[in-house]
Amino acid sequence: MEELPPPLIIEILSRLGDSSELARCRLVSRTLNSLSREVSKVHLLCTLSRYLKSRAPETEPPLTPFKTIISNLVLHRRALRSVLIGVEKSLRNISYDEVEGESDDLYLTDVGFVNQWLPNIGGGLKSLSVSDFWIQSCWRKSEILSLISSCCHSLIELQVKNAWLSVDGLKPMPTLTSLTLEYIRLDDEDLHKVNHCFPYLKVLNLIGVGGLKEPKIHLLHLKTCLWTVSNAPLSLTILAPKLVKLKLKCIKPQSLVLETPLLSNFHLALEEANEFKVKEFPHLRNLKLESVNLCSLISMFPSGRTVKKLRVDSMKLKMTGFNFDMLFDVFPNLSYLHMGSGAWKEIENYFHSRGMEGRPGMKRLKEIVGYLVECDYLTFSFIFSILDNCTNLSDMALVIHKGVDNPTACGLISRCRAACPRVRWKRGMWTEGTEDLWVSEPL
Amino acid sequence: MANGENQNPNPNPIEATPGAAARTITLKTADGEIFEVEEAVAMEFGTVKSFFEDDAVSATKPMPLPNVSGSALSRVITYCRRSLEIRSMIPPATSEDATAAEAVQGEGDLEAEKAAKQERKEFEAEFLKDESNEDVKELILAANYLNIKELLDFLCRSVALRIQNKSVEYARKFFGIEGDYTPEEEAQIRQEYAWAFEGVDED
């Protein structure tokens, strides 16, 4: 039987889970040993079990320090294209301990440590990811960004997690097109340095980045952005003329300014919007809105004539006057509507007290997905009113909470089917914290 | 878990391609088997694609594939056909949003993408279920020769998964390689990479 030629063996070795797997492969034969040196990535995370073992005094023989392993792996590997090092996510949950914090062994954004190996391999590196150990990194500022910008002139993708980062000495990195900062304290209050030094970013992910005062994302080439931000900043601004996809999760920004004329896919989650200055979104097609006060948010939204797919949900139940008619006033051209459990409840309750008038846009609706928390004899009349107004509806999916007993849920679907057989009905079940289940009905 | 009722049967990608319903390309394998393959599927093979783009070769003459056996080609064709079907589950951007579409590239339809991903996962798990290591190696060589990136990536990933967490002997058997270290050399490597063996039980 033919053996696989070296290039194909390298392809396989390159897809091994991480560098410890690769290291074990070196034992297979001399050939594999030399071929594994050609694998262009180093990928190693410190697992929870390794961490616990390293803290257990009775571990014998003593474990090799994680930093030593990394240094040895990347030493002299000028062909490396991708380096991913860090601690597993589970280590984020370890509670703070004075003694632990003083240690250095897992402080990975330590410039002294990174300087031992990055300058050597930085030139060809395309992707770098460092997930630090928060307990050891949170109380000291790292100048690692400056070091990276000095050494890595071809870097395309950078990810740093769980660290306190300074932007002093950060030099422009024109090749970088993707930046992810997660759980970071960043000393760049208004993102001025970020905008200046990473001008060609196409992807920017700021997830739980603190230290911001009046952050303004101003990037001319940005296409995709994910921004989860606390309530600390006074204002949030995004000026991104090419932005197509945005997910923004905030709380109660005093001012929110969005100048993103090409935005097509927008997911906005916020509790309340005080000042919501958004110019028109002439290309908006997919919109997802989550808010405590959907009514106020939707009424502040500029015309949504181009929106075809809308998802809405209420985070907490607050009767705000949010109703079905109002949706179609702002979004008259929907073909798909997805209502989360909070939104459905609000809309249904409004219907039971004030009814439904109907809007021309309802005739354009083709598909509805609704999440229900409860199901009673009134639910059907609400659905019936929807069917009455959405005369071109072809698909409707009702995802009913597990707490509703099966006969009730079945009964609802049967009534719906009987009332409107032209619609394709689908039934599902949901519970908090697990994936939805679709139920196949016998035909 | 009940699979959601598939209310929308996947459109046959062959029929969807305008005017290509009848176009097939003939391939001849190393062991003399002739395969008539839909053009859309055959064009997934980089080698075939460039062969027919290079000169106005008549599509009726069978293209020789001296490095691929009949059984391998049959599996490859099955994979590419299914892959095309799954890809067609994600609706392309419609003409209305031509401007945003170039940039978005199928971003819009989250449900369809999720469904397609799930189908792909299930299909890929089934595909290699009964294949022996030898069969998989043959497929890798075929995918490499035919220049089918997606298939090659999938196969290499699957092999990596197979040899991961297994013993050194298992990997040796798979690659058909003899262990050629002296006991001293092997001990030295084990020591050098002691950290990689920390806490791992070799089966």
Side-chain angles (χ1 to χ4, degrees):
Chain A
M1 179 57 220
E2 275 181 82
E3 265 186 51
L4 293 176
L8 288 179
I9 298 185
I10 295 174
E11 287 290 328
I12 294 173
L13 294 178
S14 304
R15 286 166 174 82
L16 284 173
D18 66 9
S19 299
S20 53
E21 296 286 345
L22 190 57
R24 287 201 285 276
C25 269
R26 286 173 181 247
L27 266 185
V28 171
S29 73
R30 289 173 205 268
T31 320
L32 247 63
N33 191 1
S34 63
L35 287 180
S36 29
R37 266 188 268 276
E38 315 242 346
V39 170
S40 61
K41 72 174 195 200
V42 164
H43 179 151
L44 197 61
L45 290 180
C46 177
T47 60
L48 183 61
S49 68
R50 164 173 272 274
Y51 169 79
L52 293 172
K53 274 210 194 113
S54 70
R55 286 339 186 233
E58 63 276 355
T59 308
E60 200 52 57
L63 289 177
T64 322
F66 192 67
K67 283 187 177 178
T68 312
I69 300 174
I70 304 285
S71 302
N72 289 343
L73 275 177
V74 296
L75 203 60
H76 304 316
R77 298 273 302 272
R78 288 219 171 73
L80 271 184
R81 293 282 167 266
S82 163
V83 170
L84 188 157
I85 59 173
V87 306
E88 261 186 356
K89 249 194 173 134
S90 47
L91 274 93
R92 218 186 254 181
N93 299 329
I94 295 180
S95 45
Y96 188 81
D97 172 275
E98 282 281 334
V99 176
E100 184 58 70
E102 302 278 300
S103 307
D104 263 4
D105 62 325
L106 288 174
Y107 176 35
L108 299 174
T109 50
D110 171 21
V111 170
F113 164 61
V114 179
N115 202 25
Q116 284 170 13
W117 46 270
L118 191 61
N120 221 307
I121 57 158
L125 209 57
K126 298 254 179 268
S127 166
L128 176 62
S129 169
V130 182
S131 295
D132 211 342
F133 184 34
W134 183 240
I135 295 182
Q136 290 182 3
S137 64
C138 64
W139 57 275
R140 33 193 162 181
K141 193 155 56 165
S142 163
E143 317 252 311
I144 198 180
L145 287 180
S146 168
L147 180 61
I148 293 173
S149 65
S150 305
C151 299
C152 303
H153 301 123
S154 336
L155 203 64
I156 293 179
E157 183 183 354
L158 176 62
Q159 251 190 33
V160 187
K161 302 187 188 180
N162 318 322
W164 177 2
L165 300 178
S166 155
V167 289
D168 290 341
L170 175 59
K171 301 173 195 60
M173 297 185 71
T175 54
L176 201 74
T177 54
S178 170
L179 176 65
T180 300
L181 298 177
E182 190 175 321
Y183 214 62
I184 297 277
R185 179 175 157 183
L186 186 67
D187 282 3
D188 187 13
E189 281 185 345
D190 301 336
L191 294 179
H192 180 75
K193 225 36 204 286
V194 166
N195 290 325
H196 177 73
C197 293
F198 307 122
Y200 294 101
L201 281 182
K202 292 204 178 122
V203 177
L204 176 61
N205 300 319
L206 299 175
I207 306 162
V209 175
L212 305 177
K213 201 161 127 198
E214 297 198 59
K216 186 196 311 196
I217 294 178
H218 188 178
L219 290 165
L220 302 179
H221 299 268
L222 199 63
K223 288 238 169 114
T224 308
C225 180
L226 163 58
W227 198 1
T228 359
V229 56
S230 73
N231 217 26
L234 298 172
S235 66
L236 302 175
T237 309
I238 303 181
L239 309 173
K242 292 213 184 130
L243 195 67
V244 166
K245 184 171 173 185
L246 172 63
K247 178 169 171 177
L248 176 59
K249 227 174 137 172
C250 49
I251 305 183
K252 250 192 264 201
Q254 282 177 34
S255 150
L256 174 57
V257 176
L258 296 177
E259 271 182 40
T260 52
L262 287 187
L263 198 62
S264 162
N265 201 322
F266 188 14
H267 177 169
L268 175 63
L270 82 153
E271 280 195 20
E272 256 176 71
N274 287 336
E275 212 185 292
F276 187 42
K277 238 188 245 142
V278 292
K279 299 215 172 141
E280 292 268 321
F281 296 124
H283 296 283
L284 195 61
R285 241 180 95 80
N286 285 10
L287 178 61
K288 181 167 179 181
L289 293 176
E290 289 175 275
S291 174
V292 166
N293 192 338
L294 271 175
C295 188
S296 131
L297 180 58
I298 289 201
S299 48
M300 263 192 256
F301 219 79
S303 151
R305 316 195 59 79
T306 53
V307 178
K308 288 253 174 267
K309 290 187 171 203
L310 177 65
R311 292 174 174 82
V312 284
D313 204 3
S314 255
M315 283 150 18
K316 286 180 208 147
L317 205 49
K318 203 174 167 184
M319 291 307 154
T320 59
F322 180 56
N323 64 81
F324 207 64
D325 292 314
M326 143 188 253
L327 269 180
F328 288 88
D329 285 330
V330 183
F331 304 108
N333 291 311
L334 294 181
S335 58
Y336 172 96
L337 175 63
H338 180 293
M339 291 174 275
S341 56
W344 177 284
K345 199 166 177 148
E346 259 198 77
I347 296 178
E348 188 181 340
N349 285 347
Y350 186 96
F351 167 76
H352 291 315
S353 64
R354 310 270 280 272
M356 191 186 294
E357 289 168 5
R359 293 282 186 277
M362 293 182 190
K363 303 213 186 314
R364 286 187 260 276
L365 195 61
K366 290 237 130 86
E367 189 177 344
I368 296 182
V369 176
Y371 280 66
L372 285 71
V373 178
E374 57 209 8
C375 215
D376 58 22
Y377 64 97
L378 288 174
T379 311
F380 178 71
S381 64
F382 171 53
I383 297 179
F384 190 76
S385 183
I386 294 180
L387 293 171
D388 212 24
N389 282 296
C390 302
T391 48
N392 285 312
L393 198 66
S394 61
D395 287 84
M396 184 145 178
L398 298 174
V399 191
I400 304 173
H401 193 259
K402 199 172 177 183
V404 174
D405 60 72
N406 205 34
T408 313
C410 268
L412 178 65
I413 298 280
S414 315
R415 278 189 85 184
C416 291
R417 268 216 183 92
C420 203
R422 66 150 208 278
V423 168
R424 266 191 295 249
W425 294 94
K426 222 166 133 173
R427 184 186 144 204
M429 183 167 73
W430 71 277
T431 1
E432 292 85 341
T434 55
E435 258 188 63
D436 303 335
L437 276 177
W438 290 105
V439 180
S440 236
E441 312 275 349
L443 288 170
Chain B
M1 175 154 90
N3 206 343
E5 299 165 82
N6 197 346
Q7 307 272 19
N8 301 315
N10 288 326
N12 185 328
I14 315 305
E15 286 160 21
T17 322
R23 293 243 312 186
T24 60
I25 291 187
T26 320
L27 305 168
K28 183 171 172 180
T29 64
D31 44 358
E33 258 190 84
I34 306 274
F35 284 81
E36 278 215 33
V37 188
E38 304 86 35
E39 185 176 353
V41 175
M43 286 304 156
E44 292 283 294
F45 308 174
T47 325
V48 173
K49 187 164 183 207
S50 34
F51 183 76
F52 285 105
E53 278 174 354
D54 270 346
D55 41 28
V57 178
S58 149
T60 53
K61 242 168 72 174
M63 174 183 172
L65 300 174
N67 290 351
V68 187
S69 74
S71 61
L73 186 60
S74 146
R75 302 292 281 131
V76 168
I77 291 172
T78 308
Y79 180 89
C80 291
R81 231 182 234 147
R82 192 79 184 97
S83 180
L84 268 177
E85 269 176 29
I86 293 177
R87 259 183 278 152
S88 74
M89 278 171 72
I90 302 175
T94 54
S95 52
E96 327 167 359
D97 31 40
T99 44
E102 286 108 48
V104 175
Q105 302 275 332
E107 278 283 17
D109 216 322
L110 277 175
E111 257 85 38
E113 270 182 48
K114 253 204 302 194
K117 241 193 202 149
Q118 182 62 20
E119 284 249 8
R120 180 167 286 280
K121 226 172 87 173
E122 288 172 10
F123 153 61
E124 289 187 345
E126 262 310 300
F127 186 76
L128 288 183
K129 206 170 63 155
D130 300 318
E131 301 279 338
S132 69
N133 288 339
E134 294 303 315
D135 289 333
V136 176
K137 269 199 279 188
E138 196 187 1
L139 282 176
I140 291 181
L141 290 165
N144 185 45
Y145 173 73
L146 292 169
N147 193 2
I148 311 172
K149 274 203 165 61
E150 190 184 53
L151 176 57
L152 187 60
D153 173 59
F154 160 57
L155 291 169
C156 290
R157 265 187 288 125
S158 309
V159 171
L161 267 174
R162 272 192 196 194
I163 64 179
Q164 233 166 239
N165 291 324
K166 294 264 180 41
S167 68
V168 172
E169 263 315 307
Y170 186 94
R172 279 186 188 142
K173 259 180 42 192
F174 177 86
F175 288 112
I177 302 176
E178 294 270 326
D180 50 0
Y181 289 115
T182 66
E184 297 84 38
E185 286 171 331
E186 183 163 329
Q188 195 200 5
I189 298 189
R190 271 190 193 270
Q191 205 202 22
E192 192 182 335
Y193 293 101
W195 57 268
F197 295 94
E198 282 154 4
V200 172
D201 304 313
E202 292 217 7
D203 64 16

